[in-house]
Amino acid sequence: LLGQWNLADDLAYPWRIDELMGAAPLVTYDEVPQAVSPSDASCGLWVDPNTGHFSGAIRGAPLTAGYGPHFDRRHVTWRACTGGGGAKSWYHYAYGNWSGNRYPDTSYSGINDGTDDVIPVCSTQWTENFGSAPAPGFVPGGAWMFFGALVNPDQPGGAVYDYGCLIGQKWAEVRIPRPSMDFARPCGADRWAYEPTSARCATFVDGTHVQANSSSTITTGDYCLVAGVGGITSGVYQITGVAGTVYALGTLLRTAPVPTESGSGLIGKLRWPTAPAIGGRISVSAAVQSGPSVLITLDAPATDLRTADLVDFSGVSGLGSSLAVTVTDTTHFSVTGTLSGSYAGGGFVASHGAASYEWFDDQAKGDYFVAEWQFNQRDWQERERVITQAAVGGCGSCPDITPASSAHIRPNQAGHGMPRGVSALNITEACRTFTPCCPQVLAISPNGETWTNGTTYGFTSMAADARYGARWQKAIVQNMGDPLWLAPHKVCESGAPTACGWVEDDGSCEADACASGSGTRYYAHRPMVEARASVPTGAPAMPSGCEINLLDITALNGSPGAGVVLPPPDGLGYVSDSSGADPLQPVPAVTPWGIYLRELGCVCATTRSDFAALYQANWVQC
């Protein structure tokens, strides 16, 4: 049935940019939805009387590209009303609808719902907005097969829709351009970034003291960013004394831009104060002997280098490693040493102890990974059934129900966010490079679609289980949040954190709506990078608290340690509206293209210049 729609035919199925993952063309057999139980116990072959009303033909195959819209008389549009206690009751609002909301009579559009908009006009059958399976709010993105329950019953509060037969979805998506992870970090500007967990709102005491609104881990000797405090130059200071929540500031080491969230004033300990000043290496354009010192001129600015930093030279004869610098400006400094003759060029300088320059690279590699979740809903539930049965009513002594093993199967993974039914998590790391004029396409399909510049992954078979259900899922992971990123401290207002909500922008450059301590303030969406499931061989270790390490099923049931849990995508439910309005729209998933397109709109409109600048730096160009 999945083969009826060719994902590589973008005339029949144009590429979509929405985030309604479960709204799609639907292909089924015209068959008995559910057998009718016999009315008596007579012997012989019983024939379901419903079968005479069904042809067994395929329903939902597309029209030839260019034809449509199509009216499906069996399509149901659902709505809801709110009853006592705020509970919603769903009901059939209308029967029959046009594909893609393309009916020429605009007066008819009131029957449509948001899920119809994304359906190709050549569709002849498609998912309903709520009721019949598979309904968009109940099914996940990516490729999947379900037998029985649509949504994993392991998830607390998860909706379960028992369809009673096998349904599946195939998948294709286009790569979104993002920088790769720079494995030389932290370096450069990172050495001036503050640690949000230590940050506090701060107010002026005198020219060398500030007071925080509450206690912090900041202590004498720490390097701190002090920003936005009236009467104090914003920049980096070393703390020379602490008296309660009053901090004595040493000499200004470096001026720094004022973060948006500093508001009325902020103090925060630097997160990586000893990070290398130079990421990679910088070409040395000139080296001149001047008494006991060598005067160095760089081809590019070393904006984060400060006096007393240690550097290593290569290709500058006579100068070696671990030499302390005296900074003149961003492209000039001096070191103590003696050149071996005149410098003719071709040399480099790097920070001492920094990662090898090859790792200082955020250019796109085309990295992504494919995650496959295999399920066994029977093994652990059957074991639990037998263990429980043996323990109830003193039946442990009954030989025919004594469990062969009392050991629980995969007992701990659900506590870490992985459904207990997941028996294996298989990861395939891969790369799809850029080719001009050819989108990078990543697909999961049993039908073997091919692309000029793409990769198609197949399905894995699974055993149907009428009692416990069966499930299989696979998804593309192409972008991830920068592992070094942390949410900033809440914006400071009148010497205290804002009383309004503090929410990550979804990329659309939401305007702050905060008045009298009520409403919401926003901080910029986290930077996105190409996804990896593990650190490359030979790469520097990730800094403490930052992880690129997917935990497998064995780890989740043992001692997981540091790492990332990747549960399978699940159905997201429906929009909740306390006003009683019809919640016809399933909750959209957050997708790489959705984030990118929202950020693109922000950058092009510059509705928030502070956010737009950050999104531009994350490869979003108008």
Side-chain angles (χ1 to χ4, degrees):
L1 294 178
L2 291 174
Q4 297 297 316
W5 281 86
N6 180 4
L7 294 180
D9 184 351
D10 61 355
L11 294 177
Y13 200 157
W15 287 103
R16 290 165 45 178
I17 60 173
D18 64 275
E19 296 177 292
L20 295 175
M21 297 297 93
L26 175 64
V27 185
T28 61
Y29 287 114
D30 185 31
E31 62 184 355
V32 179
Q34 184 172 345
V36 175
S37 298
S39 57
D40 57 56
S42 59
C43 298
L45 180 64
W46 178 80
V47 177
D48 189 333
N50 284 326
T51 56
H53 303 289
F54 299 90
S55 66
I58 291 176
R59 295 186 61 235
L63 299 174
T64 303
Y67 287 83
H70 174 80
F71 186 81
D72 182 6
R73 61 184 176 81
R74 302 193 227 190
H75 187 84
V76 177
T77 298
W78 296 73
R79 289 197 176 179
C81 60
T82 304
K88 292 188 182 297
S89 299
W90 291 80
Y91 60 91
H92 292 185
Y93 172 73
Y95 287 93
N97 212 342
W98 293 87
S99 57
N101 272 342
R102 298 299 179 86
Y103 187 66
D105 181 358
T106 56
S107 66
Y108 193 84
S109 63
I111 294 180
N112 295 333
D113 64 83
T115 63
D116 295 325
D117 290 332
V118 301
I119 303 304
V121 294
C122 59
S123 301
T124 56
Q125 183 178 234
W126 57 98
T127 52
E128 296 172 4
N129 62 319
F130 178 76
S132 60
F138 292 153
V139 298
W144 45 262
M145 293 187 292
F146 292 111
F147 185 85
L150 281 179
V151 182
N152 191 351
D154 301 339
Q155 295 289 357
V160 177
Y161 198 107
D162 190 358
Y163 197 43
C165 65
L166 177 65
I167 60 173
Q169 175 172 282
K170 61 181 180 178
W171 186 265
E173 62 186 64
V174 171
R175 291 271 292 134
I176 300 301
R178 292 293 188 181
S180 69
M181 180 64 196
D182 181 351
F183 287 98
R185 293 182 59 203
C187 62
D190 291 323
R191 70 189 330 207
W192 312 112
Y194 75 91
E195 184 181 78
T197 55
S198 72
R200 297 293 184 272
C201 295
T203 52
F204 179 81
V205 175
D206 57 40
T208 58
H209 293 79
V210 297
Q211 182 166 12
N213 70 300
S214 63
S215 61
S216 171
T217 56
I218 298 171
T219 189
T220 298
D222 285 341
Y223 293 93
C224 290
L225 172 68
V226 179
V229 179
I232 302 290
T233 301
S234 293
V236 174
Y237 298 81
Q238 188 172 29
I239 302 302
T240 58
V242 180
T245 59
V246 175
Y247 298 95
L249 310 180
T251 304
L252 175 66
L253 300 176
R254 171 192 170 95
T255 59
V258 180
T260 302
E261 64 271 12
S262 65
S264 61
L266 175 144
I267 180 172
K269 181 165 57 177
L270 295 190
R271 193 175 175 196
W272 296 299
T274 60
I278 299 173
R281 63 182 184 176
I282 299 177
S283 177
V284 175
S285 60
V288 179
Q289 192 73 47
S290 177
S293 300
V294 178
L295 307 181
I296 302 296
T297 302
L298 303 177
D299 273 342
T303 56
D304 303 299
L305 194 67
R306 66 172 183 253
T307 295
D309 282 342
L310 301 180
V311 297
D312 299 338
F313 288 90
S314 61
V316 183
S317 183
L319 298 184
S321 62
S322 194
L323 300 179
V325 304
T326 300
V327 174
T328 304
D329 56 40
T330 58
T331 57
H332 298 85
F333 64 83
S334 63
V335 297
T336 300
T338 304
L339 292 172
S340 300
S342 299
Y343 175 66
F348 297 90
V349 65
S351 286
H352 182 67
S356 178
Y357 71 89
E358 294 95 336
W359 293 108
F360 184 64
D361 179 10
D362 69 351
Q363 296 305 296
K365 314 295 188 302
D367 286 339
Y368 66 93
F369 65 88
V370 182
E372 179 189 51
W373 296 267
Q374 294 184 347
F375 287 75
N376 189 333
Q377 304 285 26
R378 169 170 286 270
D379 63 352
W380 71 273
Q381 292 187 84
E382 186 65 11
R383 176 71 59 83
E384 294 299 308
R385 181 189 68 79
V386 175
I387 291 173
T388 301
Q389 180 176 281
V392 174
C395 290
S397 60
C398 304
D400 56 344
I401 61 169
T402 300
S405 172
S406 59
H408 299 280
I409 297 174
R410 300 187 297 278
N412 300 324
Q413 63 192 51
H416 298 291
M418 182 69 73
R420 194 168 172 188
V422 175
S423 57
L425 171 60
N426 302 318
I427 301 297
T428 302
E429 291 189 288
C431 173
R432 173 52 59 181
T433 57
F434 172 77
T435 300
C437 301
C438 290
Q440 301 152 275
V441 179
L442 308 174
I444 306 168
S445 171
N447 307 126
E449 287 96 334
T450 59
W451 321 86
T452 302
N453 183 25
T455 303
T456 301
Y457 297 88
F459 277 31
T460 300
S461 62
M462 70 177 190
D465 189 326
R467 181 176 182 85
Y468 293 110
R471 181 179 180 183
W472 170 87
Q473 289 181 254
K474 186 181 281 189
I476 306 292
V477 182
Q478 57 162 298
N479 292 165
M480 65 182 185
D482 181 348
L484 274 59
W485 177 87
L486 289 176
H489 182 268
K490 293 182 74 171
V491 67
C492 295
E493 298 172 323
S494 302
T498 178
C500 292
W502 188 233
V503 177
E504 183 177 3
D505 180 47
D506 65 358
S508 58
C509 285
E510 290 278 358
D512 290 338
C514 174
S516 303
S518 177
T520 303
R521 285 191 178 274
Y522 295 89
Y523 55 91
H525 193 280
R526 68 196 67 194
M528 303 299 289
V529 296
E530 291 183 333
R532 288 195 60 92
S534 61
V535 174
T537 301
M542 296 290 290
S544 176
C546 305
E547 298 294 337
I548 301 180
N549 175 36
L550 292 183
L551 297 173
D552 61 20
I553 300 304
T554 300
L556 291 173
N557 286 284
S559 300
V564 179
V565 179
L566 184 67
D570 222 333
L572 300 176
Y574 287 81
V575 173
S576 177
D577 188 343
S578 58
S579 70
D582 293 343
L584 298 176
Q585 192 82 334
V587 176
V590 177
T591 66
W593 54 91
I595 297 171
Y596 181 88
L597 291 172
R598 286 188 289 272
E599 291 182 348
L600 183 65
C602 168
V603 169
C604 295
T606 60
T607 51
R608 286 195 63 156
S609 59
D610 53 340
F611 288 6
L614 295 173
Y615 298 157
Q616 276 189 300
N618 200 214
W619 291 27
V620 179
Q621 299 296 321
C622 185

